[in-house]
Amino acid sequence: MIDLTLAEIAAAMNGRLVIGGSVDSVSADTIVSGESQTDSREVKAGQIFFARRGEETDGHLFVAKAVDAGAALLVVEREVDDRVPQIVVADATIALGQLATAVVHRVRAAGELTIVGITGSNGKTTTKNLVAAMAERRGSSVASEKSFNNEVGGPLTMLRVQQDTRTLVAEMGASAEGEIARLTAMAPPSIGVVLTVGLAHAGEFGGIETTFRTKSEMVRDLPDSAVAVLNRDDPHVSRMAELTQARVRWFGLHPEAHVRASDIDSDAAGTRFTLHIDGESAPVNFHVLGEHHVTNALAAATVGHELGLSLGEIVDSLQSATKAARWRMEVMGGRDGVTIVNDAYNASPDSMAAGIRTLAQIRKPDGRSVAVLGAMSELGEYSIEEHIRIGLQAVRLRINELVVVGKEARQLHISAINEGSWDGESVFFEEQDEAFDYLMSTLQPNDTVLVKSSNSAGLRFLGDRLGEAFA
């Protein structure tokens, strides 16, 4: 974070500064510049600890641990440990966002900060990582860590900005209407990216039209000096061009896209395609597995072009990427020719379908395709229908074996066996340990295995175990 006095921090969040009697050599003019944390286990010396009240716990219970770890400032909703200065606020989560807003505004007013906001039902983290790598080529940059994209993770990322930061790459997610608007108000994007509008989180949003309205918050308030980077292949995203004052830049496979791909070819080593940007073309050897990630690469390339990178720099950056992100089409294994593709960090119907298509494409001629699938969460009323659809797809793409794990995904298994095309090629286990033992006893040389589920199903850990077993 930039240097701010305790008084300035308190003013930014409309808080009351309290300096206890046991605090020596500290005044309202004392400067704090450490990062902010909401988890006491992550606190390091000189940092700010925000004692948030969550659904399951209360950050005030962990104040002492934060102070013991070296916290220089506490943001609290009631006075607590007086060993360090405290700022008392009405709501610590709101205060976190207020401080982030103030820091971003100050840096932007004093320097050349470009803010890139990225949202979409699928592909946010992968695209964010690709854009962040390109942004590094133009100077100091800050990007969301992991999947920090909500009312807490977003501000924590923004508060890492320094005076010399040239680019802030912010992943912006939502589980309800208004959340992306709040994030964009904290850090108004110069470049707003919308990737897809799909059924991810449909149970929370209540339907595709609500998802459309929520994701369109990214571009609705962009000024005419900003750029809206939109997916020309997604009909819902395409509609957003009518809702923004910003200059629109299309990406996708559509011939009207300003940044597009052709000649796409995929295998277990990655994806090759020709990249076209405003009349220039170049081949790309993209090492990230799965044709669906070409869309993310095109979005990143569009942003890179807007940031001033040349076609050659964009291609070099894309070719330097080795994987999308941890647990996202992560290639593991190798012993006996067995390939494990661990893609179990998130799963929506669209990404699950894309993963199964990729598995069918990359299966080795002398090996089998094995799909280890768990539940897709947060689908609400669409859950049964979408699990049925994925089971049918696995059969129709001739996946050699389907291993379904977890009772929440049982409908997927039932759908596959009801299709009638198989005879015992779909099996079901309630527990991961049972599935692991089964796979270890049945996998054959040169098999290709996709492990895919929503984060809550936890199959990423099963994928890790298989990857280590066949390392």
Side-chain angles (χ1 to χ4, degrees), residues 101-116:
T101 302
V103 167
V104 169
H105 177 77
R106 182 174 295 202
V107 174
R108 198 172 202 176
E112 300 179 3
L113 179 65
T114 298
I115 299 172
V116 181

Side-chain angles (χ1 to χ4, degrees), residues 370-374 401-405 425-429 435 438-439 459:
V370 180
V372 183
L373 306 181
E401 183 166 25
L402 178 62
V403 179
V404 180
V405 185
E425 287 93 344
S426 181
V427 294
F428 172 78
F429 301 98
Y438 172 79
L439 289 162
L459 261 61

Side-chain angles (χ1 to χ4, degrees), residues 51 60-61 63 74 76-83 86 88:
H60 295 78
L61 300 175
V63 163
L74 305 174
V76 295
E77 296 173 10
R78 60 178 184 272
E79 291 187 35
V80 282
D81 197 314
D82 68 351
R83 289 177 290 168
Q86 308 169 57
V88 182

Side-chain angles (χ1 to χ4, degrees), residues 336-351:
D336 299 329
V338 175
T339 300
I340 309 296
V341 181
N342 193 353
D343 192 35
Y345 188 82
N346 271 320
S348 67
D350 291 338
S351 68

Side-chain angles (χ1 to χ4, degrees), residues 48-71:
I48 305 172
F49 177 63
F50 283 76
R52 295 179 58 250
R53 287 177 293 109
E55 294 181 2
E56 299 180 0
T57 189
D58 185 342
H60 295 78
L61 300 175
F62 305 98
V63 163
K65 291 183 178 180
V67 174
D68 291 342

Side-chain angles (χ1 to χ4, degrees), residues 113-403:
L113 179 65
T114 298
I115 299 172
V116 181
I118 300 171
T119 196
S121 297
N122 300 293
K124 292 186 294 296
T125 300
T126 299
T127 304
K128 176 258 300 180
N129 290 344
L130 295 172
V131 171
M134 293 184 189
E136 285 289 341
R137 293 172 179 255
R138 69 190 295 264
S140 176
S141 67
V142 169
S144 304
E145 296 178 341
K146 304 175 184 177
S147 292
F148 280 13
N149 61 23
N150 61 9
E151 63 179 353
V152 177
L156 288 176
T157 298
M158 297 167 196
L159 286 170
R160 290 169 43 218
V161 166
Q162 301 288 340
Q163 289 291 359
D164 64 347
T165 301
R166 293 285 308 280
T167 313
L168 167 62
V169 185
E171 183 180 336
M172 297 181 176
S175 57
E177 287 190 78
E179 292 184 3
I180 291 175
R182 283 192 286 274
L183 290 170
T184 58
M186 293 178 198
S190 314
I191 303 172
V193 183
V194 186
L195 299 166
T196 57
V197 172
L199 285 176
H201 311 295
E204 294 178 337
F205 285 130
I208 198 73
E209 280 302 315
T210 308
T211 305
F212 167 78
R213 290 196 303 271
T214 303
K215 299 303 180 183
S216 67
E217 291 169 11
M218 172 61 72
V219 298
R220 282 179 185 270
D221 294 330
L222 291 180
D224 57 12
S225 59
V227 181
V229 175
L230 303 178
N231 184 353
R232 186 64 179 84
D233 299 333
D234 186 308
H236 296 291
V237 178
S238 295
R239 288 166 54 196
M240 295 182 191
E242 304 169 1
L243 306 177
T244 185
Q245 302 177 64
R247 175 169 56 90
V248 173
R249 291 284 286 174
W250 299 111
F251 67 90
L253 306 184
H254 196 284
E256 292 180 1
H258 301 103
V259 179
R260 63 185 181 88
S262 64
D263 308 317
I264 301 173
D265 180 47
S266 294
D267 58 25
T271 309
R272 290 156 299 283
F273 62 92
T274 301
L275 175 64
H276 307 271
I277 302 179
D278 291 341
E280 290 188 283
S281 301
V284 178
N285 188 10
F286 191 45
H287 300 292
V288 177
L289 189 63
E291 283 190 8
H292 54 293
H293 282 304
V294 172
T295 295
N296 303 325
L298 293 175
T302 309
V303 175
H305 191 256
E306 290 298 319
L307 292 176
L309 273 64
S310 68
L311 177 62
E313 289 174 317
I314 292 169
V315 170
D316 184 59
S317 185
L318 291 176
Q319 293 187 153
S320 297
T322 56
K323 63 181 179 182
R326 183 80 166 98
W327 296 311
R328 291 173 172 86
M329 299 305 283
E330 184 175 6
V331 179
M332 310 168 74
R335 179 172 62 82
D336 299 329
V338 175
T339 300
I340 309 296
V341 181
N342 193 353
D343 192 35
Y345 188 82
N346 271 320
S348 67
D350 291 338
S351 68
M352 185 77 86
I356 293 172
R357 286 196 301 271
T358 298
L359 174 63
Q361 291 170 342
I362 67 175
R363 179 184 67 84
K364 299 170 186 174
D366 54 349
R368 301 179 306 151
S369 55
V370 180
V372 183
L373 306 181
M376 299 177 288
S377 62
E378 301 177 356
L379 292 178
E381 64 181 286
Y382 301 97
S383 182
I384 292 177
E385 173 186 344
E386 292 302 321
H387 282 89
I388 289 173
R389 186 170 69 85
I390 294 299
L392 295 177
Q393 182 189 31
V395 175
R396 291 167 183 174
L397 287 177
R398 300 184 182 278
I399 301 302
N400 294 112
E401 183 166 25
L402 178 62
V403 179

